[in-house]
Amino acid sequence: MAKDFEKHDLSSPSLEGSPGENTLREPLAESRYHDTDVFGHEDDHEIVYKTLSWQLVAVLMVAEIVSNGMLSLPSSLAVVGLVPGIVLIVFLGVFGLFTSWILIQFKLRHPEVHNMGDAGMILFGPFGRELLSAGTIIFAVFATGGQLLAGQIALGSLSNGKLCLMLYTGIFAIPTLIFSLPRTLDKLSWLSVPSVFSILIAGIVGMVGAGISFPVASISVTVNTSFVTAFISVTNPVFAYAGHFMFFILISEMKHPTHAMRAAWVLQTFATVFYVVFAVVLYIYVGPTVASPAFSSLPEKWQKAAYGIAIPNFLIAGSLYSHTAAKLLFVRFFRKSRHLYSNTVLGWGVWIFLVFIMNAAAFVLAVGVPIFNYLIGIAASLFASWYTYGIAGAFWLYDAYMYKGGREAWKRNWPMTGLSIATLAAGAFICVAGTYVTIKQIVDAYKSHLVASPFSC
């Protein structure tokens, strides 16, 4: 396997470039990129992966990231206050754009990187590959389960809870499985278009419902609270941006990977603006008692309307997560094999099996583990904190050291060196603090007898 991860210095990508810059010179650099990337030149392939435009990648990114995570943001403002909440959401959006740029630069230098596991192989060897691959799969499966729970809440709201909650989850799991079956992301990208519209319209409906149903509430500009309570609320916006673990996989299926930064700009701009507006409006009208998810604070008719409209987004986001987990293993098994790009019985059989396993695992966890909501927080703290924030610093430090002159490069580019170290520190802090407060929540839930039994209604 080691030969698959040789260091490719494409010469033209620049560490000093600004976000959004086209850092591969045409046409030679992009030609060399396709010589060494995971799917290679696809002229004679039956299954063609590299079909995505940057616009469709932007849609996929928005559909994946801007989902049920935003519904917890108004409650975060209720805990920390209006101004700190807005500052935090905006800061994390800018921070996410910065780490997106570093990840994309790293991908352009290392075309053979298909997922975080491949990046781990370059940085840390076989142990890094296994650790980051496992983390990607675990987080993707847990995120799929989170979308199943969001679908459960939506269906329960629409039907006034007439069925067992486990049945709602099962009903929602079936289309999630079906939508994750396409082998290539371009099929899911077109499904993601209505997904993006659904969460956008659902958010607007929720804001209109809050504005019509409630007077302006008594809100706080800042709130004094304990570290644990405050950090619990801080994790909501942190993990509302947690989608970078998919970026390598998405870029690997682009026609022109040098355009990836355009998609990142669209994602972070849309997410940040939408998050701020949604969180502020819901908090201003509902007030400090706003629930998480926020739609549950609305009057019944508005709640049903918002949840009903958001269902396509919950479905597609869950499908994207389970697709990602299956795709990582599928490429790992069949890299450089005809089963990767041909319609073979073995290839399709393994693919369908992997998709089924990922969705089944998400369903079993969602309905069978009473503390699953908390476990999502732990998985996000352990892995998403690094994939979205921390590990980007390691990517820049590695490439600067390898391709720009070792430690002297770190000294010459001391602003980026400092930012990269700070990024690593931020990832470590979110990881440790997020894990700690989530474990404390679990302990408190058991003490308060708030934990239900497995597979209960």
Side-chain angles (χ1 to χ4, degrees), residues 197-214:
F197 279 109
S198 78
I199 197 63
L200 174 61
I201 296 171
I204 293 172
V205 168
M207 289 186 284
V208 171
I212 290 176
S213 304
F214 304 106

Side-chain angles (χ1 to χ4, degrees), residues 162-437:
K162 291 180 180 178
L163 298 178
C164 172
L165 292 178
M166 187 169 64
L167 290 178
Y168 289 127
T169 312
I171 292 169
F172 205 77
I174 294 171
T176 300
L177 167 65
I178 293 171
F179 289 145
S180 56
L181 280 172
R183 284 265 289 271
T184 59
L185 281 168
D186 65 318
K187 305 295 191 301
L188 276 170
S189 68
W190 292 108
L191 290 172
S192 295
V193 173
S195 167
V196 171
F197 279 109
S198 78
I199 197 63
L200 174 61
I201 296 171
I204 293 172
V205 168
M207 289 186 284
V208 171
I212 290 176
S213 304
F214 304 106
V216 174
S218 175
I219 60 174
S220 301
V221 176
T222 60
V223 176
N224 291 323
T225 186
S226 67
F227 168 79
V228 171
T229 304
F231 198 83
I232 290 171
S233 68
V234 166
T235 57
N236 293 331
V238 166
F239 300 134
Y241 288 106
H244 289 43
F245 75 105
M246 282 183 61
F247 281 11
F248 289 148
I249 291 176
L250 290 171
I251 298 168
S252 293
E253 298 193 28
M254 289 185 70
K255 288 183 289 188
H256 301 291
T258 54
H259 297 168
M261 198 61 212
R262 301 177 187 178
W265 272 105
V266 172
L267 164 68
Q268 298 300 147
T269 302
F270 175 82
T272 303
V273 172
F274 189 48
Y275 283 170
V276 169
V277 173
F278 179 79
V280 169
V281 171
L282 266 292
Y283 176 50
I284 286 176
Y285 282 102
V286 180
T289 60
V290 62
S292 178
F295 288 160
S296 296
S297 295
L298 300 174
E300 183 178 352
K301 65 178 181 179
W302 290 103
Q303 182 181 143
K304 288 183 176 182
Y307 275 131
I309 295 169
I311 281 178
N313 177 266
F314 299 158
L315 278 174
I316 299 305
S319 299
L320 281 169
Y321 290 133
S322 56
H323 179 100
T324 297
K327 181 68 71 66
L328 185 152
L329 287 175
F330 187 76
V331 171
R332 175 78 177 270
F333 293 156
F334 294 124
R335 187 186 288 259
K336 299 185 183 299
S337 163
R338 67 187 182 92
H339 301 293
L340 183 65
Y341 53 80
S342 300
N343 290 309
T344 64
V345 174
L346 179 60
W348 273 107
V350 171
W351 173 251
I352 293 171
F353 174 75
L354 289 173
V355 169
F356 176 80
I357 287 296
M358 298 308 166
N359 282 279
F363 171 75
V364 171
L365 286 167
V367 301
V369 180
I371 59 170
F372 181 65
N373 264 329
Y374 300 110
L375 294 184
I376 294 174
I378 291 178
S381 298
L382 291 175
F383 302 114
S385 59
W386 291 107
Y387 296 153
T388 303
Y389 303 108
I391 202 170
F395 290 156
W396 189 90
L397 291 171
Y398 176 88
D399 275 352
Y401 186 90
M402 295 301 298
Y403 303 131
K404 293 293 180 177
R407 294 179 182 176
E408 288 302 315
W410 292 349
K411 293 177 182 178
R412 286 196 307 272
N413 295 281
W414 60 266
M416 272 300 299
T417 300
L419 283 172
S420 298
I421 293 171
T423 299
L424 281 167
F429 174 73
I430 295 170
C431 175
V432 174
T435 303
Y436 167 75
V437 298

Side-chain angles (χ1 to χ4, degrees), residues 21-42:
E21 218 173 77
N22 186 344
T23 54
L24 280 178
R25 296 192 185 105
E26 301 280 3
L28 177 61
E30 189 156 297
S31 173
R32 292 180 63 187
Y33 175 97
H34 293 297
D35 285 339
T36 55
D37 87 312
V38 65
F39 299 118
H41 296 278
E42 299 184 301

